[in-house]
Amino acid sequence: MNRYLSAIIIIAALTGNNGLQAQSLKPAPRLVVNIIIDQLRTDYIEHFSPLYTPDGFRKLLNQGCVYEAARYTFSPVDRASAIASINTGSTPQYNNIVGTQWLDRATLRPVYCTDDDKYGDSPQKLSTSTIGDELKVATRGTALVYSIALDKDAAILAGGHAADGAIWINGKNGRWTTSTYYSEASQNLIKAYNSTNKYAADNDAVADFSLSCVNDMAMGRDDITDMLSVVLSAKGKDEANWQTEMEILYLKLDKIIATLVRKIEDSVGSDKVLFMLTGTGYTDNEPVDYQKYRIPTGTFYINRTANLLNMYLGAIYGQGKYVETCYHNQIYINRKLLEQRHISFSDVISRSKELLTQAAGVRNVTTSPYNPSVSGDLLIEVAPGWKLLNEDTQENYMVRAAFVPFPIIFYGAGIKAEHVSTPATVDRIAPTIAKAIRIRAPNACSVAPLR
């Protein structure tokens, strides 16, 4: 027998392999709670920190593992694309969620990211698995997976395909609702909660329903890991008066987080719950009159530009509708026409870029990295400080390229307090959770865990 192998056998016999057994027997968290706060900002968290309670933001920042410099690996980011990225561990190039809405190339009409002809709303447009889906697969469907949010896109994308329930507030009547896509248990949970006549559409309502879900569905009560996603909002209505409005908002968030953490720990056990908290990495841009302050600005007319491009291509290739339409900052080329006339698509794109980059207010023009069914062929990056205006649809927004700071925080389940200044991308959240609960990462996730 090989002497090295003999030595290993002797050492294992003498020690009883206790070190390895101790590691393998460490139980996985019984409950994972993913808290995503839409438009959360680190600078606001820090600014109001002297006013916080001991058990909210302060507790997570002091006792959790905090990645201070979080970021997304794609742009632009909105609520839907951010939540999809967090939960799939991938980008829109793979998960297909390029935004809350996009233009359907077949109909040239906007579609919502959770539209479903059969169920009304579902995650069917999400093309990859989520961390919740992989938990369901790993436990053969026995794990409980729920997501609670004010808005349906947030709830559905946070829940994933296999969730027991994705629950949100109906904007028409202010009551909690879901889709027939989800389980009967979630329907009953909603009926029971709505019967208490609690009508509210705010963060407090989301937190209250989330706690009811944990208690009524007995989440985290056995050795099978369950998962709850909670989507809150840090969106202000009047950033001009941010010191008053944002102070109120962040102090309320602080109390809500304190309540969620305390009550869930009391219910499940502080050492048996893993909390994750992060933000969506963007803020809605408020209209600013830069001209008043002599700051470089202007208006980029996307529809006029699209018409000009069509005339330009017509002069080269002959009359025709080469530009089908435009949507947001994207231009859609008529691919069928190019095929019919045997015109090179790459040649059209190259010539289009040459023209568009000369337009005032255009910083860059790129081709889309995403699936053509959910994105235009040309993406126009408008210069910061300029306004994009579509006179046909009246879409109008100011462009900003400013960095929005937000953290990634892991707390509970024996995690040691630590502050990490190295930049961390949100696509690494899902594999980090997967490692903690000993399951596979989502099927389009190719990045390493954070820890």
Side-chain angles (χ1 to χ4, degrees), residues 106-416:
T107 63
L108 297 183
R109 292 184 177 182
V111 294
Y112 199 76
C113 62
T114 61
D115 284 348
D116 186 311
D117 293 336
K118 182 178 180 180
Y119 298 102
D121 289 289
S122 84
Q124 57 118 354
K125 288 184 169 64
L126 183 67
S127 61
T128 63
S129 71
T130 66
I131 184 66
D133 294 338
E134 295 295 343
L135 177 59
K136 277 286 192 181
V137 172
T139 61
R140 298 185 179 181
T142 56
L144 296 174
V145 178
Y146 282 89
S147 59
I148 319 295
L150 289 173
D151 301 283
K152 62 183 178 182
D153 62 287
I156 290 171
L157 296 174
H161 301 275
D164 296 277
I167 301 164
W168 62 90
I169 290 180
N170 185 321
K172 295 180 180 179
N173 59 24
R175 307 193 79 185
W176 290 98
T177 189
T178 189
S179 160
T180 54
Y181 177 89
Y182 298 101
S183 70
E184 184 178 349
S186 68
Q187 315 279 348
N188 294 334
L189 176 67
I190 292 169
K191 288 177 183 177
Y193 190 91
N194 281 338
S195 67
T196 62
N197 296 317
K198 295 180 180 179
Y199 300 98
D202 56 18
N203 289 327
D204 287 309
V206 173
D208 191 64
F209 196 101
S210 298
L211 291 171
S212 292
C213 183
V214 171
N215 293 327
D216 295 347
M217 307 312 294
M219 299 185 75
R221 303 292 176 82
D222 56 28
D223 292 333
I224 299 173
T225 302
D226 299 323
M227 185 171 294
L228 174 70
S229 293
V230 182
V231 184
L232 304 171
S233 174
K235 179 181 178 180
K237 296 179 181 178
D238 183 11
E239 288 201 7
N241 298 314
W242 69 273
Q243 283 193 307
T244 54
E245 182 178 354
M246 289 299 173
E247 178 179 323
I248 295 170
L249 178 56
Y250 274 74
L251 292 186
K252 283 185 176 180
L253 280 171
D254 176 64
K255 291 180 181 178
I256 287 170
I257 291 167
T259 300
L260 280 171
V261 171
R262 183 180 69 254
K263 291 190 174 182
I264 291 176
E265 285 186 333
D266 288 346
S267 174
V268 180
S270 59
D271 60 332
K272 298 178 178 65
V273 186
L274 173 63
F275 291 90
M276 188 286 299
L277 184 145
T278 194
T280 52
Y282 78 101
T283 57
D284 288 335
N285 294 328
E286 297 296 322
V288 177
D289 186 2
Y290 278 136
Q291 192 171 11
K292 178 181 177 181
Y293 301 98
R294 295 183 289 185
I295 298 171
T297 186
T299 301
F300 174 74
Y301 297 90
I302 182 71
N303 59 314
R304 295 185 190 180
T305 303
N307 291 335
L308 178 63
L309 176 60
N310 194 71
M311 293 171 60
Y312 172 73
L313 295 175
I316 298 172
Y317 302 108
Q319 287 189 342
K321 191 174 182 179
Y322 296 94
V323 177
E324 285 193 301
T325 190
C326 56
Y327 186 72
H328 293 328
N329 65 329
Q330 305 171 30
I331 289 179
Y332 290 71
I333 300 297
N334 190 337
R335 297 189 178 208
K336 289 184 178 180
L337 179 61
L338 300 189
E339 291 176 4
Q340 291 171 358
R341 297 190 178 183
H342 305 289
I343 299 172
S344 167
F345 177 76
S346 60
D347 186 57
V348 170
I349 293 296
S350 178
R351 290 179 181 273
S352 297
K353 284 183 178 181
E354 289 177 5
L355 177 72
L356 294 172
T357 52
Q358 297 176 46
V362 174
R363 185 180 182 184
N364 193 21
V365 181
T366 61
T367 54
S368 173
Y370 307 135
N371 187 325
S373 66
V374 297
S375 180
D377 299 298
L378 292 162
L379 276 61
I380 299 176
E381 184 181 349
V382 180
W386 278 62
K387 180 170 63 177
L388 183 145
L389 172 62
N390 188 325
E391 292 174 300
D392 296 332
T393 64
Q394 294 304 305
E395 182 181 24
N396 183 349
Y397 63 88
M398 183 71 70
V399 176
R400 294 180 65 90
F403 171 69
V404 177
F406 67 99
I408 298 171
I409 304 174
F410 292 95
Y411 164 81
I415 288 177
K416 295 180 180 179

Side-chain angles (χ1 to χ4, degrees), residues 1-17 20:
M1 181 181 291
N2 183 289
R3 62 177 178 173
Y4 297 107
L5 180 58
S6 299
I8 292 171
I9 293 173
I10 293 170
I11 293 171
L14 292 174
T15 63
N17 207 21
L20 293 176

